[in-house]
Amino acid sequence: MNLYLSGETRAAFIVDTTASRIHGQPWEPSVTNQSGRLSKPAENNDDTILRVRVINTDSGAAIISQGTIKFNETGKEFSFSLAKSFQTSQVPQPISLELTRADGRKFTASTKLNYLPNPPSSFSQSIARLDSLHGGLQVRSNGPRWETIFPYSFYLSGPWLDSDPSNMKKFRDLGFNILHVVPGGEGMGYNFEQLDSWFNEAEKLGLWIMYDMRHSFQNAEYVRYQVERYKSRKNMLLWYTADEPDGFEVAPSATSKAYALIRSLDPYHPVSLCLNCQNYYFQEYTAGADIIMADPYPIGANTTFSNKYHPCPPPCGTLSKQQQANSFPSIKTPCNSTHGDCGCDNCHTSPPTHPALLNIPARLDLWSRFRTQLGIPGHAKPIWSVPQAFTAQDFWTRTPTAREIVAMVLLSVNHGAKGIVMWIFPTADEVVEAASGFSKRVLGRGVARFVLGAVGQVVGGGWGGDG
């Protein structure tokens, strides 16, 4: 887990010993095959077994002094007593790992442990944490029991929510479990009295809050006001700061600054953001988040030239976008790996060789490799997916079909997504019906347990039932 609380007696460290050409210390003597690539030593070689020692860096005390792990093993857990080894602290506590080979060679690594005191309001507010082994999200509210949630919902239009007092219940009854209200475009973007009313209703309906600060996360005063106002709610789940900062040329350091401030005010809820580009300052932007969200939108997109930014002088305004491109090729705005905006960065949409839907797993798989290259172990920083669920507009010439909605969600889950938040509601009836049906009929508790590695109850719209 990425955090533990006072009163919890046991915790575990997760240790990976996979071979890497990017991180760690040299394995000497190296064992190579005929191609010169690093390979696993023979099973009967004692060098494949490493003794494990985990140390409280501040005190020097050994937390784990007995245990072994094999070379190239992943996800091995080492349990220990929290109360005997640490005092609670608002500050992450440094940990040192030492692995010793049979020949005496040592390998070291470090991490930090979040062992927090219970918040002042304790069981009257929610606390959320991430499962660093499986990537799932756990929440505790109104008691000591942790529940595992698979987030499945939409970004939600505030004006639609306000248009009918019964709309929030209708939304919940469709099978969605997250309330993510998109703010307006000025200041913090909310009428806070109205927002309080919505959040109170959401609490009664069992909807969790994903709080959006896209327009205000770069303003420390605004961030502080919003976090202090809502961090103690019973149905608070997580914060959302930057929405496509890579597409709007936000300073890459801005997300980390906001993250540091939020964590100082509220260490009890994770922070998320959504990136638009395939790889534009990925490392810098994602340093400011616990959860990374991906939103490639390939359906109905022309990824060779820009429908939205294609210039067309009079009288070609009466022509279709494709006719404009054919008639005025010299002024066409192209999209390639370094130039242009076509609505889906570095996507390929030329069936049958490049079916549009394959851009979803391609993006998620690439970002999973980025995590490994950056030294982020396993699912310590999970990836969520933002499927394209809006009607035709701008770059996109059509609305996704019901089959495409289901396919995008299934591809996302099959390629490691630990949450689904579609853009945007309300949308076409066919899209709503497909998304709702997926929650209610396709993703039962067995799938959620498999995807999240949950051992307790899986909760939320369409995901209820005892584990």
Side-chain angles (χ1 to χ4, degrees):
M1 302 299 168
N2 74 327
L3 68 84
Y4 294 94
L5 293 174
S6 175
E8 294 189 277
T9 59
R10 303 292 297 177
F13 293 111
I14 303 166
V15 180
D16 295 342
T17 57
T18 49
S20 171
R21 292 191 178 276
I22 302 174
H23 302 283
Q25 297 98 50
W27 180 274
E28 296 174 347
S30 298
V31 179
T32 57
N33 55 29
Q34 292 181 350
S35 66
R37 295 182 177 179
L38 191 66
S39 62
K40 182 178 178 179
E43 290 292 342
N44 59 358
N45 188 329
D46 286 342
D47 281 356
T48 63
I49 306 298
L50 300 162
R51 297 194 308 275
V52 177
R53 190 165 183 258
V54 180
I55 303 164
N56 181 328
T57 308
D58 286 339
S59 68
I63 306 165
I64 297 170
S65 57
Q66 294 182 344
T68 61
I69 187 171
K70 293 181 179 179
F71 174 83
N72 243 11
E73 190 171 355
T74 61
K76 184 163 184 179
E77 294 184 86
F78 292 88
S79 178
F80 65 96
S81 170
L82 271 172
K84 291 182 179 179
S85 305
F86 296 95
Q87 298 291 324
T88 60
S89 173
Q90 293 284 358
V91 179
Q93 302 179 57
I95 305 296
S96 300
L97 169 69
E98 185 179 274
L99 302 178
T100 305
R101 205 165 58 182
D103 62 2
R105 176 161 176 77
K106 296 183 184 297
F107 304 89
T108 60
S110 63
T111 188
K112 292 184 177 180
L113 173 74
N114 284 303
Y115 183 33
L116 299 171
N118 283 301
S121 47
S122 193
F123 295 149
S124 65
Q125 76 166 67
S126 70
I127 301 169
R129 67 183 182 185
L130 296 170
D131 177 352
S132 300
L133 182 60
H134 301 290
L137 186 63
Q138 291 189 345
V139 64
R140 193 188 84 175
S141 185
N142 294 323
R145 184 185 182 190
W146 292 96
E147 297 173 319
T148 299
I149 294 176
F150 187 96
Y152 186 75
S153 194
F154 276 84
Y155 294 75
L156 191 60
S157 163
W160 175 84
L161 199 60
D162 193 44
S163 65
D164 186 333
S166 66
N167 275 349
M168 189 181 299
K169 184 177 185 302
K170 293 176 183 177
F171 184 76
R172 191 282 309 271
D173 290 346
L174 288 169
F176 308 124
N177 58 5
I178 304 294
L179 182 70
H180 183 148
V181 180
V182 178
E186 295 185 10
M188 289 178 273
Y190 294 117
N191 176 325
F192 287 104
E193 290 185 1
Q194 180 186 61
L195 198 61
D196 290 343
S197 175
W198 287 343
F199 287 175
N200 290 336
E201 180 67 14
E203 183 179 326
K204 295 176 184 177
L205 294 171
L207 290 169
W208 297 99
I209 297 169
M210 185 174 185
Y211 191 91
D212 194 321
M213 291 187 277
R214 67 180 63 201
H215 300 309
S216 57
F217 77 94
Q218 296 184 76
N219 184 312
E221 181 181 348
Y222 287 171
V223 169
R224 184 180 300 274
Y225 176 82
Q226 292 169 101
V227 172
E228 294 289 5
R229 186 179 183 105
Y230 293 116
K231 68 180 183 181
S232 298
R233 292 199 62 95
K234 291 183 180 180
N235 58 335
M236 183 67 203
L237 187 65
L238 74 160
W239 306 103
Y240 181 89
T241 56
D243 185 79
E244 300 184 343
D246 47 349
F248 292 99
E249 298 185 73
V250 172
S253 62
T255 58
S256 292
K257 291 177 180 178
Y259 179 83
L261 176 57
I262 293 170
R263 295 295 292 178
S264 71
L265 300 169
D266 177 25
Y268 300 100
H269 298 97
V271 178
S272 63
L273 56 75
C274 183
L275 295 184
N276 174 49
C277 298
Q278 182 189 56
N279 181 18
Y280 184 75
Y281 291 98
F282 179 89
Q283 178 178 2
E284 290 80 2
Y285 284 125
T286 59
D290 301 302
I291 296 166
I292 312 165
M293 302 178 71
D295 67 351
Y297 299 147
I299 306 300
N302 185 327
T303 56
T304 59
F305 77 94
S306 177
N307 281 341
K308 183 174 181 179
Y309 297 115
H310 176 69
C312 185
C316 79
T318 59
L319 303 178
S320 69
K321 296 294 185 182
Q322 188 60 58
Q323 289 172 326
Q324 292 174 23
N326 294 337
S327 302
F328 299 91
S330 62
I331 60 171
K332 178 171 67 176
T333 303
C335 291
N336 51 46
S337 61
T338 59
H339 176 80
D341 184 354
C342 286
C344 194
D345 187 45
N346 285 342
C347 292
H348 301 282
T349 56
S350 303
T353 55
H354 293 94
L357 287 171
L358 292 186
N359 289 285
I360 309 298
R363 182 68 55 89
L364 298 180
D365 291 349
L366 178 65
W367 284 12
S368 181
R369 292 195 296 272
F370 285 172
R371 283 188 312 195
T372 301
Q373 293 167 5
L374 293 173
I376 302 170
H379 291 290
K381 188 169 288 196
I383 298 171
W384 292 8
S385 181
V386 183
Q388 177 182 346
F390 49 85
T391 55
Q393 57 185 272
D394 295 333
F395 305 102
W396 304 276
T397 58
R398 65 178 181 86
T399 302
T401 66
R403 290 170 63 88
E404 287 171 332
I405 291 295
V406 172
M408 284 189 283
V409 175
L410 281 172
L411 285 168
S412 296
V413 173
N414 287 343
H415 287 262
K418 304 302 179 180
I420 300 291
V421 187
M422 292 164 272
W423 180 270
I424 182 174
F425 197 97
T427 184
D429 290 344
E430 181 184 14
V431 171
V432 173
E433 183 178 352
S436 175
F438 187 85
S439 171
K440 292 180 176 179
R441 300 180 183 89
V442 181
L443 287 183
R445 69 183 184 213
V447 176
R449 285 170 60 88
F450 176 77
V451 171
L452 301 178
V455 295
Q457 183 185 29
V458 181
V459 298
W463 295 75
D466 293 331

